[in-house]
Amino acid sequence: MTFPFPASDLLVILPELVLTQLALGILLWATVVRKGREATLAWVSIASLAAAAVLIPVAARLSGPLPRAAFGGMLTLDRFSIFFKVLVLLATAVTILFSLKFVGTSSYPGGEYYALLLFSAVGMLFMASGTHLVSIYIALELMALSQYVLAGYFKRETKSVEAAAKYFVLGAFSSGVLLYGISLVYGAAGSLDLGDVARSLAATPRSSLLGVGIVLTASGMLFKIASAPFHVWAPDVYEGAPTPISAFFSVGPKLAAYAIFARIFFVGFGPRAGDWAPVLAASAALTMVVGNVGALLQQNVKRMLGYSSIGHAGYALLGLLAYASGTDARGENFGLWAILIYLAAYLLMTLGAFGLVVLLEAKGYATESVDDFNGLSKKNPLAAAAMLVFLLSLAGIPPTAGFVGKYFLFSAAMKAGWPSLALLAVLMSAVSLFYYFRIARAMYLVEGEGELRWREEPAVAAAVAVCVAGTLLLGILPQPFVALAKSCLLP
Amino acid sequence: MNGLLTLLIFLPTAGAVALLFLPREKTGAIKLVATVTAGIAFVASLPLWFETGFRTSGDFLFRETLDWIPSLGVKYALGVDGIAALLILLTTLLSFICMYASYTAITKREKEYYVFLLLLETGMIGVFCALDFFLFYVFWEVMLVPMYFLIGVWGGPRKLYAAIKFFLYTLFGSVVMLLAIIALYFFNTTGFLWWKGLGNAPTFDIPHFHAIASQIPPDLQVWLFWAFFLGFAIKVPMFPFHTWLPDAHVEAPTAGSVILAGVLLKMGTYGFLRFSLPICPAASSTHWVQLSVVVLSIIGILYGSMVAMVQKDVKKLVAYSSVAHLGFVMLGFFALNTAGIQGGILQSINHGLSTGGLFLLVGIIYERRHTRMITDFGGISSVMPVYAMLFMVILLASIGLPLLNGFVGEFTILVGAFLANWRWAAFAVIGVVLGAAYMLWLYQRVFFGEVTHEENRTLQDVNLREILTLAPLIVFCVWIGVYPKPFFEMTAKSSDKLVVAVEQARLAREAGTVRMASTAGTPGTPATPATRADLAAPAAPAAAAVLPEGR
């Protein structure tokens, strides 16, 4: 039997292969594990993710010098993809930690849950290294289909089902739009390989076919990162989905979506950057306003974090926008590494904040309302302090990761000649303090005696502690991260 | 002595960390550790006063530099000149007093209270020490968080509203300032928008920006100036941005008000001296810019005084008097001459001492009566004679009675304003009269006459601890009032540098406009902004040569 590609290409996807096998194994194993014994499955899942993480450098070493294209240009392993792969694996592992008791004490089976998370992670890993519109699309669907199920995993909870239905219908619709956009791009460029698309775009004149194709592709991408005007699903899904899944949705898929967004638009549509940048600029402005103003009105913590993640998507779009304006006289381009740093910061602070939402149990369930945080500083000063760090970071107050990330993004926007957007962004980030600090106010300023219970979950607490440490470290000593991000850029 | 500034900044943090390990029930130990830490910080800051270098040069001394984020050019750079040194001394003194003054005022969650006060001290000293824009911004923002909690947890009935209002107002100003910092950073390296960059290595070094100020095109300077203005004017607070101040002051606990009035507002005025004037000298000396700031200052003086006059709450009255006093400070700065700037700096210190003292005094009576309404008092001087005497001294210092500090500051400012434009001084003098009016009327209603409320008959006079908290303030009020020379000497050289920078920019611009007018007259050579910038640069050395006689 002959392969259309050299067998060594398989080494490039070694982590993905191993993770897929392990996920399938867990799915089979789940059929024989009784309810209540699923913690083992969770730990095995975490071990599988760790194995995949360990295999990434191995794959990079074995498969040859980076960047290494494989399968006829379908996938490319480069430092950019490795950066995202590590973050995605981290986000998935933390989500599983959050889920341990959350799913364990629920009446729903846990085995498939972990397997679905792993499949989703596989999809995201492929997204990170996809360099062909078809491979990107397939990876995206693998990730998304697992997530539709996860959103509705608590199937007897009306809200969870509602979230799943909304997510599925809108998600499927956006996938269709994306696919249609891809097909138009194919019509205009004659290829789906991003490198070929770029060469073809540079050579062909502007055409409405291509324009519609790029706009539709952008719409699909904007849906995945929950940017206006395609953001409407996010708060509802975040509110309805099981809390660990909300945490996962706000981080993992978004990171992966940013990876393909950046790759498609910089590598593939790069020659047309001047044309699509205004579209992204409009979306960024709208997203920042909608997300931050929308969050002002929320009483439900998960909804608020949902809207806040929309706002953050808007900030991150500034980085994409800045990248589009090319390098400056010193040969530096702030845009992309600003996004990389920002996304790392966003991962730490968002997961941390959600971790505390998982840990604080009010009315026998995870916290829902901002009032549930009342008086937390007295009952658990450490938890309150940790939450305060995340809130400060989310609002972009130094010395936290969020400030460093926002600083890079805003200066990238300034540098790229979008000072008005940067102004809007800083003003919106000041607005965001108001709603983030509603939680701080509840924790420290309000003398509440709510029935707040602290779930004794060392695993989650440890994950939160890691997030606190990361948030502060990235905020106080960002240099190593900056250097790392700078080495992980797209060509 | 190297490392002194780092020590000063992080000593309070160390104290705060130490407090975290004390059990919250041991309030005595907590108070002791906090007070001792603040005391050590004050003693450690004294070398700044005895450093003779500040009196002989306007350079930054006690410098420390470490790489922080090399790929951006961010450094951990510290250094102070005479202005910053005085403000640091004020900070350490007031922080120490605040710890000591809070023993009986704060009766709940003491541990957190002292932790936040100490962290606040770190932030404040850091702001005055930072010689790196990035570092400055970090301290500037960090300091908001403890203040938010001080107001929000230990404040009065409307504390929740006041705390977030304070935070948001300041944050809105400072994020705009951040954009100005970013723009400056890019201008220094590769250029920003259509302004061609200088091509220097990336840096946030503040003295470097002072050095390149003359190369920043005036139109960019105007943008930068107003962006900085928003950040600092909200903090000062200047007239249309002052509305957060009365709320914050009224709701904050006594120590919070003292720190707020004494130090936090000075961060705004310090910002004008450290950034607006030396980095945007051409913008500052532009007539319409200068006039706008001066008009806002004068409105602040008159409006603050008049609103103070009709207040029913003593604390709110003092808060509005701050608006008026800070109006004086800003008027002095934007007279743009040595007298005005020096007077403004001294008045900043004076305001910290006298208004800080007034807030302490209001706190003392509030602890006893749990009210601050003027109508709830009357005839207090017969019940609390020592208190009445102390109140009188500080109040007179605030009004500006000769031989007390306020007089020296206001007089110097008025001289500066008069030299710039006599009409400014004429308007400002009305403020002095109004200031005397509302303060003395307050004193009359609270202290003179019959005791009208039975509860007031049994009030305890001030105890030793309270006298000790006020004594240093009174000592300084008298010292500055009688012999202000050492204080003026501390700031003279730095002020001169500011005036020279602004004057040079003014002369350069005038030379530039004259030449531009002549070139614009010749057909075929349109005067573009780019040529104007090119003209400004070579004119600067000429202006420097002219200046010593001209000044």
Side-chain angles (χ1 to χ4, degrees):
Chain A
M1 197 170 82
T2 55
F3 290 104
F5 49 83
S8 66
D9 279 7
L10 287 174
L11 283 174
V12 172
I13 56 164
L14 188 61
E16 288 89 341
L17 286 177
V18 171
L19 192 57
T20 312
Q21 297 311 314
L22 289 169
L24 288 170
I26 287 167
L27 191 61
L28 284 178
W29 189 3
T31 55
V32 294
V33 169
R34 271 185 294 130
K35 179 74 200 156
R37 294 277 175 82
E38 289 140 340
T40 331
L41 283 177
W43 289 112
V44 173
S45 307
I46 291 174
S48 317
L49 292 166
V54 170
L55 284 175
I56 290 174
V58 175
R61 175 69 53 91
L62 292 180
S63 56
L66 300 181
R68 165 76 154 83
F71 304 105
M74 294 293 262
L75 299 170
T76 301
L77 188 66
D78 49 14
R79 289 182 67 88
F80 176 81
S81 65
I82 291 176
F83 183 89
F84 277 97
K85 284 179 187 191
V86 171
L87 288 190
V88 158
L89 290 174
L90 183 66
T92 314
V94 172
T95 306
I96 294 176
L97 281 182
F98 288 175
S99 313
L100 267 174
K101 265 199 185 163
F102 200 89
V103 176
T105 53
S106 75
S107 54
Y108 303 99
E112 295 90 335
Y113 178 96
Y114 298 121
L116 283 166
L117 271 175
L118 294 189
F119 286 133
S120 182
V122 172
M124 293 190 284
L125 293 181
F126 276 121
M127 280 163 83
S129 51
T131 46
H132 188 281
L133 286 168
V134 166
S135 64
I136 288 174
Y137 180 78
I138 293 173
L140 183 69
E141 284 306 288
L142 173 58
M143 172 193 85
L145 284 172
S146 318
Q147 284 167 2
Y148 301 145
V149 183
L150 285 170
Y153 202 77
F154 284 10
K155 62 186 177 196
R156 287 185 292 277
E157 309 277 343
T158 325
K159 269 189 176 175
S160 184
V161 176
E162 180 196 330
K166 275 186 181 158
Y167 196 24
F168 176 67
V169 172
L170 291 174
F173 183 71
S174 84
S175 293
V177 170
L178 175 65
L179 202 54
Y180 188 47
I182 290 174
S183 71
L184 293 181
V185 170
Y186 179 66
S191 172
L192 288 171
D193 180 84
L194 289 177
D196 292 343
V197 169
R199 276 184 287 280
S200 163
L201 256 51
T204 53
R206 200 182 280 192
S207 72
S208 53
L209 179 69
L210 182 64
V212 176
I214 289 179
V215 168
L216 291 181
T217 313
S219 309
M221 291 289 104
L222 291 174
F223 175 88
K224 291 298 172 197
I225 62 169
S227 285
F230 308 102
H231 64 281
V232 190
W233 59 275
D236 290 338
V237 173
Y238 286 20
E239 185 191 1
T243 310
I245 293 301
S246 307
F248 182 59
F249 283 177
S250 65
V251 178
K254 279 201 169 185
L255 290 176
Y258 272 110
I260 58 172
F261 203 157
R263 215 187 273 272
I264 294 177
F265 277 73
F266 299 157
V267 179
F269 302 163
R272 286 270 173 263
D275 294 345
W276 52 257
V279 179
L280 290 196
S283 172
L286 196 61
T287 308
M288 289 187 287
V289 173
V290 165
N292 287 305
V293 173
L296 287 177
L297 310 169
Q298 306 306 322
Q299 268 305 317
N300 181 301
V301 178
K302 281 162 76 180
R303 272 190 91 80
M304 195 183 91
L305 287 172
Y307 272 105
S308 107
S309 83
I310 295 173
H312 285 281
Y315 304 138
L317 276 177
L318 292 181
L320 291 179
L321 204 55
Y323 190 78
S325 356
T327 54
D328 67 11
R330 296 169 63 83
E332 288 200 342
N333 191 322
F334 260 109
L336 188 60
W337 53 276
I339 303 183
L340 295 184
I341 293 170
Y342 186 73
L343 289 178
Y346 175 76
L347 173 121
L348 291 169
M349 60 200 187
T350 309
L351 281 182
F354 267 109
L356 283 158
V357 175
V358 171
L359 277 177
L360 299 175
E361 191 182 9
K363 304 175 197 89
Y365 207 63
T367 42
E368 291 278 311
S369 155
V370 174
D371 297 334
D372 291 340
F373 282 87
N374 283 358
L376 180 65
S377 72
K378 265 191 183 165
K379 285 171 199 157
N380 197 325
L382 272 181
M387 190 66 181
L388 183 63
V389 170
F390 298 132
L391 294 173
L392 288 172
S393 183
L394 285 164
I397 306 287
T400 55
F403 168 70
V404 173
K406 273 187 185 168
Y407 175 81
F408 284 123
L409 281 180
F410 298 166
S411 54
M414 290 280 278
K415 178 68 210 167
W418 298 92
S420 47
L421 274 182
L423 181 66
L424 183 69
V426 292
L427 292 181
M428 281 302 138
S429 110
V431 166
S432 75
L433 182 99
F434 182 77
Y435 60 79
Y436 289 130
F437 260 54
R438 287 228 309 264
I439 296 182
R441 184 178 90 163
M443 292 191 305
Y444 283 89
L445 273 49
V446 179
E447 313 273 329
E449 294 300 323
E451 38 174 322
L452 198 64
R453 275 185 298 141
W454 181 247
R455 292 159 80 106
E456 287 303 330
E457 281 195 68
V460 183
V464 170
V466 169
C467 290
V468 171
T471 306
L472 289 176
L473 195 65
L474 185 46
I476 295 169
L477 293 172
Q479 177 59 30
F481 297 89
V482 175
L484 179 72
K486 270 189 166 177
S487 72
C488 294
L489 301 186
L490 284 170
Chain B
M1 192 160 71
N2 225 351
L4 177 73
L5 297 181
T6 302
L7 175 77
L8 277 179
I9 294 174
F10 292 106
L11 192 70
T13 313
V17 172
L19 283 188
L20 289 178
F21 292 101
L22 286 174
R24 59 171 67 226
E25 299 79 30
K26 296 207 167 177
T27 54
I30 288 170
K31 287 169 186 168
L32 187 71
V33 170
T35 317
V36 167
T37 311
I40 296 174
F42 176 62
V43 173
S45 68
L46 286 179
L48 297 178
W49 175 253
F50 296 107
E51 170 63 47
T52 50
F54 296 130
R55 294 178 170 79
T56 53
S57 86
D59 293 338
F60 294 100
L61 302 176
F62 296 96
R63 296 194 52 167
E64 296 169 38
T65 310
L66 284 175
D67 273 344
W68 183 15
I69 314 176
S71 53
L72 279 186
V74 177
K75 288 192 169 67
Y76 173 80
L78 305 177
V80 289
D81 63 353
I83 302 172
L86 268 189
L87 287 166
I88 290 170
L89 286 162
L90 179 73
T91 308
T92 50
L93 174 70
L94 285 180
S95 299
F96 177 48
I97 290 177
C98 282
M99 304 288 169
Y100 194 41
S102 304
Y103 283 10
T104 50
I106 302 301
T107 49
K108 60 165 189 179
R109 300 165 79 176
E110 287 93 344
K111 181 168 150 180
E112 286 154 291
Y113 177 83
Y114 290 101
V115 167
F116 283 132
L117 261 187
L118 286 168
L119 291 179
L120 185 61
E121 190 179 354
T122 288
M124 295 185 300
I125 299 176
V127 163
F128 294 131
C129 289
L131 278 191
D132 182 283
F133 248 136
F134 198 90
L135 185 67
F136 168 82
Y137 187 81
V138 167
F139 281 124
W140 176 275
E141 294 268 278
V142 157
M143 172 228 80
L144 297 176
V145 180
M147 195 66 213
Y148 168 84
F149 286 112
L150 284 179
I151 299 175
V153 178
W154 295 274
R158 287 170 72 236
K159 58 188 184 182
L160 299 181
Y161 169 77
I164 195 72
K165 189 173 179 183
F166 159 78
F167 204 146
L168 284 180
Y169 256 72
T170 324
L171 191 63
F172 270 111
S174 48
V175 292
V176 177
M177 176 175 82
L178 178 66
L179 292 188
I181 297 175
I182 293 173
L184 203 52
Y185 172 79
F186 285 126
F187 173 75
N188 179 50
T189 53
T190 54
F192 175 63
L193 296 180
W194 49 84
W195 289 288
K196 206 169 163 295
L198 298 179
N200 293 325
T203 183
F204 284 88
D205 191 45
I206 292 170
H208 173 76
F209 288 120
H210 290 175
I212 63 160
S214 61
Q215 300 173 50
I216 305 174
D219 51 340
L220 176 60
Q221 282 197 22
V222 171
W223 282 103
L224 293 176
F225 180 88
W226 289 114
F228 282 132
F229 178 83
L230 207 58
F232 301 137
I234 289 175
K235 199 89 181 176
V236 166
M238 290 190 67
F239 162 65
F241 310 110
H242 66 279
T243 55
W244 63 269
L245 181 82
D247 285 310
H249 266 318
V250 170
E251 302 306 325
T254 299
S257 295
V258 173
I259 295 277
L260 197 57
V263 186
L264 259 62
L265 307 189
K266 305 306 142 32
M267 290 170 43
T269 58
Y270 173 79
F272 277 102
L273 289 184
R274 181 65 75 239
F275 306 111
S276 300
L277 291 183
I279 294 178
C280 315
S284 312
S285 62
T286 307
H287 183 67
W288 67 274
V289 174
Q290 186 189 9
L291 192 66
S292 325
V293 179
V294 165
V295 166
L296 288 180
S297 310
I298 292 176
I299 294 178
I301 296 172
L302 298 181
Y303 172 84
S305 306
M306 288 195 271
V307 176
M309 188 125 26
V310 296
Q311 293 307 318
K312 298 185 178 75
D313 181 329
V314 185
K315 215 171 175 185
K316 213 162 186 173
L317 187 150
V318 180
Y320 275 106
S321 85
S322 289
V323 176
H325 282 149
L326 269 299
F328 268 108
V329 174
M330 291 304 299
L331 175 66
F333 287 173
F334 278 81
L336 298 180
N337 51 37
T338 315
I341 290 178
Q342 282 211 277
I345 300 164
L346 190 68
Q347 188 65 1
S348 298
I349 307 287
N350 291 341
H351 175 260
L353 297 170
S354 53
T355 307
L358 282 176
F359 278 122
L360 284 175
L361 287 160
V362 175
I364 288 172
I365 193 105
Y366 181 77
E367 268 181 56
R368 289 168 171 66
R369 275 286 269 116
H370 295 284
T371 173
R372 292 184 305 251
M373 293 297 144
I374 297 174
T375 46
D376 288 337
F377 300 106
I380 299 295
S381 61
S382 58
V383 192
M384 301 171 72
V386 182
Y387 177 74
M389 194 270 289
L390 294 170
F391 204 110
M392 192 68 194
V393 175
I394 302 237
L395 181 118
L396 290 175
S398 171
I399 293 174
L401 189 82
L403 289 186
L404 286 170
N405 59 351
F407 173 74
V408 182
E410 281 181 359
F411 183 79
T412 323
I413 290 172
L414 288 172
V415 169
F418 192 91
L419 288 175
N421 188 334
W422 66 269
R423 291 176 195 83
W424 300 349
F427 278 110
V429 160
I430 304 174
V432 180
V433 179
L434 288 173
Y438 63 74
M439 280 297 182
L440 291 175
W441 192 32
L442 164 78
Y443 197 80
Q444 182 192 340
R445 283 179 291 168
V446 171
F447 289 95
F448 294 156
E450 291 299 308
V451 178
T452 46
H453 291 263
E454 281 310 310
E455 307 93 302
N456 291 341
R457 286 194 195 286
T458 53
L459 288 180
Q460 292 281 313
D461 206 341
V462 282
N463 58 32
L464 182 63
R465 186 181 59 82
E466 286 160 344
I467 292 176
L468 283 178
T469 58
L470 289 163
L473 298 178
I474 291 179
V475 168
F476 278 106
C477 285
V478 175
W479 180 6
I480 298 179
V482 175
Y483 189 63
K485 191 162 165 261
F487 294 88
F488 277 133
E489 279 175 354
M490 282 283 275
T491 60
K493 295 294 172 190
S494 306
S495 312
D496 282 349
K497 262 173 77 174
L498 287 172
V499 174
V500 170
V502 174
E503 267 319 301
Q504 277 183 3
R506 190 205 298 276
L507 291 174
R509 200 189 47 247
E510 278 162 8
T513 39
V514 168
R515 282 167 64 181
M516 197 169 67
S518 60
T519 48
T522 16
T525 49
T528 60
T531 57
R532 200 170 51 191
D534 295 342
L535 285 172
V546 170
L547 209 81
E549 303 92 71
R551 192 153 58 83

